[in-house]
Amino acid sequence: MNAPSFDARLDIAAIRAQFPILEQKIRGKDLVFLDSAASAQKPRAVIDAMVGAMETQYANIHRGLHWMSERTTEAYEATRDAAARLLNAGDRHEIVFVRNSTEGINLVAHSYGRGIMKPGQAVVISAMEHHSNIVPWQMLRDAHGTELRVAPINDAGELDMAAYEALFADGKVGLVAITHMSNVLGSYTPAERIIQIAHAHGAKVLLDGSQAVVHRRVDVRALDADFYVFTGHKLYGPTGIGVLYGKRELLEAMPPWMGGGDMISSVTYERSTWARVPHKFEAGTPAIIEGIGLNAAIEWVEGIGYPAIAAHEAALTDHALSRLSAIEGLTVIGRAQDRGGVVSFTLDRAHAHDIATLLDRAGIAVRAGHHCAEPLMHRLGLESTARASFGIYTTPGEIDVLADTLIKVREFFQ
Amino acid sequence: MFEDLRDLYNATIIERGRRPRHMRRLEDFDATAKGDNPMCGDRVQVWVKYAGDGTIAATGFDARGCEISKAAADLMVEAVAGHSATSTRRLFAAFRTLAQTGECAECAEELKPMLPLAAVHEYPSRVKCATLPWHALIAALEGEGATTSE
Ligand SMILES: Cc1ncc(COP(=O)(O)O)c(C=O)c1O
């Protein structure tokens, strides 16, 4: 086996030192955290930003006339600029704050789906979506009479582009909602082609960037994406805050989906008028502290830079694929050419949950189950997999610990 | 390196999990129900045949899941044979306590063969694996058709 070349630009020890949690011992062993795709750990910068906001400049935002409220509003709104920069959005008003990816997708399903799409039109998803990008479209179908179409994948776990394109033949597709990177297989989808094809047929595209934005630079303008969602907690930020990017003219045309404070321009009992975008979609007091934490997370990721992150994770993934594939009885699920730092696998002698319980005893955290993607599991003919996923702080040594331990797991179940 | 895990993965669990004796669909049954653990994707289905007096004459199951859930289902089938719905519910309550705490005070004879599952209480995320087949069985007895371990 060739020694993998880990990116010299990343000082992993220095990065790890910024994550207080990585000092924790699990049952007396060093924590080997290989579950970042479910939620990533938080660097000191994020923790400090959140604590600092609560200790020095906290008040409700967008409505106070006092110093504290103004400072807090500024800090919270700075996150909108950071998110616009991260995604290369042209206009900060195109950034809508939501609780997480799930809420962003539901917002589009409600507002664009019911408000703009017509019954009889179709929504296209792929065969490797997270439940959060399946169920909202089923609900739209049942409530609004749209159709739900599923673009198939091949056995390697890549989108079947010919079959995808064929779904547009009858001209009914109004919206495509597809993952930018699979949380189970690690596959990236060819977002640019997906969007070109959809646009050529007059359909809009929502990309679920929950996984992709963690690993790769995303440029919504270069992609020409109509909507893009991500969730803060996977990007080393807090839970409770996520981002929906939407092209301004689409957001302007869409009706609000939740009513309340902050989203109105004026209210009388007869009628209310809506605030301008993005506030039209941000009813109620938002996750203020979490929003401020997300800004710190984005700045932290930008400080390291996507080229270094992507190079580090590509090397880790190569290393993991070669170490894991060498284990007898282990099958790696998903062999996409273009993939990120997520590796799912099964072991001939043990169910995924039993694997996870044993790994946990060795201080190794992985995810086991259907990964909120039951239809994908069904497509793969599996009931569950174990999944190791990597973050900036993951080391090749941790992958070796995983591989060595898996060999012992298999011996245990012989 | 995993020797301490033999409390959970003991010989009985491994044997019953790998080669369950009662994992079959009953062709002739009076009640059936599915049980789902939506968090992890485990799924069982249980079929029950009653005797003339309404007690359980035969139980079969199909399970998709880990060793713990299969072993628990297999041992359950033997524990509930000959029991009425009411006494099956009592057994389940005692089994649930066993799975959650490791304790089986004044343990009924029928439950003693389930003691190899006691260690599951040390693995909180796995307790549901052991109780899922029971949830399905109770749902079948109550004519509910489907349940979850949530
Ligand atoms: C691809 C993908 N989409 C959507 C989600 C949902 O994210 P959240 O639960 O933060 O809304 C996840 C996270 O599990 C994911 O991996």
Side-chain angles (χ1 to χ4, degrees):
Chain A
M1 195 190 325
N2 290 331
S5 58
F6 289 93
D7 196 275
R9 284 171 292 177
L10 268 193
D11 179 350
I12 298 298
I15 285 174
R16 289 180 68 85
Q18 297 178 50
F19 287 82
I21 206 165
L22 297 178
E23 290 158 23
Q24 293 290 312
K25 299 267 183 209
I26 303 298
R27 307 181 210 285
K29 306 211 171 62
D30 287 336
L31 166 64
V32 176
F33 188 76
L34 299 176
D35 196 19
S36 292
S39 202
Q41 300 298 347
K42 320 303 174 201
R44 174 58 71 196
V46 170
I47 298 166
D48 286 351
M50 295 174 74
V51 172
M54 283 185 282
E55 286 180 348
T56 63
Q57 52 162 28
Y58 179 75
N60 210 333
I61 57 170
H62 296 146
R63 45 182 96 165
L65 291 176
H66 50 80
W67 189 91
M68 273 295 174
S69 175
E70 283 167 1
R71 292 295 86 73
T72 313
T73 304
E74 263 171 38
Y76 181 76
E77 284 298 322
T79 308
R80 211 181 295 279
D81 298 307
R85 197 172 64 232
L86 182 81
L87 298 177
N88 197 31
D91 176 352
R92 68 189 305 280
H93 299 95
E94 297 180 315
I95 300 297
V96 180
F97 289 128
V98 287
R99 274 190 305 147
N100 45 35
S101 293
T102 303
E103 187 172 273
I105 296 167
N106 276 277
L107 191 163
V108 176
H110 262 259
S111 173
Y112 189 83
R114 297 186 195 200
I116 309 285
M117 289 184 75
K118 301 273 175 289
Q121 280 195 297
V123 176
V124 168
I125 63 173
S126 84
M128 50 181 173
E129 299 307 322
H130 189 279
H131 292 163
S132 64
N133 196 32
I134 301 174
V135 181
W137 308 112
Q138 285 176 331
M139 292 167 71
L140 177 69
R141 176 193 65 197
D142 298 343
H144 192 60
T146 47
E147 196 191 315
L148 182 57
R149 297 184 181 173
V150 183
I153 55 171
N154 63 24
D155 291 335
E158 296 164 326
L159 196 63
D160 177 340
M161 291 306 284
Y164 167 72
E165 189 156 12
L167 294 175
F168 294 87
D170 64 3
K172 286 191 182 168
V173 176
L175 184 73
V176 173
I178 272 185
T179 188
H180 196 182
M181 175 184 157
S182 164
N183 62 309
V184 178
L185 305 173
S187 330
Y188 285 106
T189 53
E192 220 166 327
R193 269 305 282 152
I194 287 171
I195 292 171
Q196 279 165 1
I197 291 169
H199 285 176
H201 292 86
K204 304 295 183 204
V205 178
L206 162 74
L207 290 178
D208 173 2
S210 307
Q211 297 294 338
V213 78
V214 182
H215 307 287
R216 210 176 242 202
R217 171 131 189 84
V218 172
D219 183 333
V220 290
R221 276 190 290 173
L223 289 171
D224 200 17
D226 301 294
F227 299 104
Y228 198 97
V229 295
F230 74 87
T231 193
H233 66 95
K234 296 189 202 269
L235 191 67
Y236 311 99
T239 51
I241 184 85
V243 165
L244 164 67
Y245 160 84
K247 280 184 183 162
R248 183 146 184 180
E249 66 270 20
L250 295 174
L251 295 179
E252 302 273 13
M254 286 157 55
W257 80 308
M258 279 203 274
D262 278 341
M263 55 75 70
I264 44 80
S265 162
S266 76
V267 176
T268 65
Y269 285 121
E270 287 68 44
R271 66 186 291 266
S272 300
T273 54
W274 313 138
R276 300 163 62 96
V277 298
H279 300 292
K280 179 170 77 174
F281 297 107
E282 296 178 350
T285 300
I288 299 169
I289 300 299
E290 291 76 4
I292 292 170
L294 179 60
N295 191 1
I298 292 172
E299 285 181 356
W300 187 81
V301 166
E302 287 173 331
I304 292 170
Y306 279 105
I309 293 171
H312 174 63
E313 291 177 358
L316 284 175
T317 307
D318 287 349
H319 184 52
L321 289 173
S322 83
R323 283 288 331 251
L324 295 185
S325 307
I327 297 173
E328 207 187 328
L330 188 147
T331 309
V332 171
I333 309 299
R335 286 291 187 175
Q337 286 296 319
D338 190 17
R339 65 178 302 154
V342 168
V343 180
S344 274
F345 56 90
T346 58
L347 208 52
D348 55 354
R349 290 182 187 158
H351 186 277
H353 297 153
D354 298 317
I355 298 173
T357 291
L358 266 69
L359 291 179
D360 176 55
R361 278 288 141 144
I364 305 171
V366 299
R367 178 107 188 252
H370 55 48
H371 314 293
C372 295
E374 270 193 87
L376 171 60
M377 289 291 141
H378 200 245
R379 159 68 179 82
L380 299 168
L382 297 168
E383 40 192 71
S384 60
T385 72
R387 179 189 74 183
S389 55
F390 317 133
I392 304 180
Y393 38 65
T394 307
T395 66
E398 290 180 307
I399 287 167
D400 291 331
V401 171
L402 171 70
D404 295 342
T405 311
L406 281 169
I407 292 168
K408 299 202 177 97
V409 168
R410 192 162 178 273
E411 284 163 6
F412 182 87
F413 284 111
Q414 77 197 99
Chain B
M1 102 187 270
F2 296 122
E3 279 328 299
D4 59 330
L5 274 141
R6 287 287 173 211
D7 62 348
L8 179 63
Y9 295 99
N10 52 57
T12 308
I13 302 301
I14 296 279
E15 193 217 312
R16 294 295 190 124
R18 292 244 175 106
R19 278 177 295 279
R21 298 174 194 172
H22 310 288
M23 189 153 128
R24 65 197 162 94
R25 183 199 169 96
L26 296 189
E27 292 310 324
D28 175 22
F29 62 90
D30 297 310
T32 182
K34 290 187 178 140
D36 267 304
N37 181 344
M39 298 319 274
C40 66
D42 276 359
R43 184 164 289 174
V44 299
Q45 182 162 5
V46 172
W47 292 270
V48 183
K49 177 78 189 158
Y50 298 124
D53 62 357
T55 58
I56 295 174
T59 311
F61 72 94
D62 190 17
R64 179 186 97 167
C66 61
E67 310 253 326
I68 313 289
S69 62
K70 284 189 191 146
D74 208 48
L75 293 167
M76 173 188 81
V77 168
E78 291 166 21
V80 301
H83 279 269
S84 66
T86 310
S87 59
T88 302
R89 264 191 292 274
R90 249 196 318 269
L91 285 175
F92 176 33
F95 176 69
R96 186 159 30 194
T97 305
L98 172 69
Q100 288 170 347
T101 67
E103 309 276 324
C104 192
E106 294 164 35
C107 208
E109 265 323 300
E110 301 88 317
L111 277 185
K112 286 191 178 148
M114 308 207 74
L115 289 175
L117 283 160
V120 78
H121 84 275
E122 289 168 39
Y123 306 79
S125 60
R126 306 302 300 276
V127 170
K128 283 177 187 164
C129 307
T131 55
L132 182 62
W134 285 87
H135 283 286
L137 175 65
I138 301 296
L141 299 181
E142 294 181 352
E144 280 174 7
T147 185
T148 73
S149 62
E150 284 311 284

